[in-house]
Amino acid sequence: GVDDDVVLLKLLIGGELVVGGVSRTSAVVYLGLKRHGDLVVALVTGVAKVTKDDAINAMYGTFSLSLVVDVHSNRILSASGNMVMQNTNDFLAHLLIGKNIVTQMDEICDVLKKRFLALAQKAVIVALRDAQNHYLMAYPAARENPTGI
């Protein structure tokens, strides 16, 4: 069973199960929610082609990005991609977590262009925009209320 005080995130990335926990109380405080029951998350993914020179191409063929998003605030709570090196994946998550997938896309892309200086930079941006499109198709009301409740 899952402890009531922890939101357990299970993501399948490149065939590897990645498990991470986020304190429900911390998430509620961070997101400004009134109670634990207000936290509703969705897993959304995006994909993109990578250059032939990128190690991601040799291992996976394409780049995949998984985002866990709070559907009330549209904030990214967790992010993971099928990067070859864990440090790269951790840095990418650092840049994405806490950002609003609806209203901050241009800002996120600018930060990625300045700070994520990897071969997969363009693929990450394309996958992020693909994930945003999937999210907005599933939650069209996010367009009218992009900053959440």
Side-chain angles (χ1 to χ4, degrees), residues 32-100:
L33 302 174
K34 293 180 174 112
R35 59 187 183 278
H36 291 178
D38 290 342
L39 184 61
V40 177
V41 297
L43 175 72
V44 63
T45 62
V47 296
K49 293 180 182 179
V50 291
T51 64
K52 292 179 183 175
D53 298 334
D54 198 309
I56 295 169
N57 183 51
M59 291 185 71
Y60 306 110
T62 59
F63 174 69
S64 298
L65 178 68
S66 295
L67 304 173
V68 176
V69 180
D70 172 66
V71 300
H72 293 298
S73 68
N74 302 315
R75 288 185 187 267
I76 300 169
L77 300 177
S78 177
S80 187
N82 61 341
M83 300 290 185
V84 175
M85 295 182 288
Q86 186 60 43
N87 192 38
T88 309
N89 206 28
D90 293 344
F91 186 73
L92 178 60
H94 169 77
L95 296 177
L96 299 178
I97 291 173
K99 301 293 188 219
N100 186 308

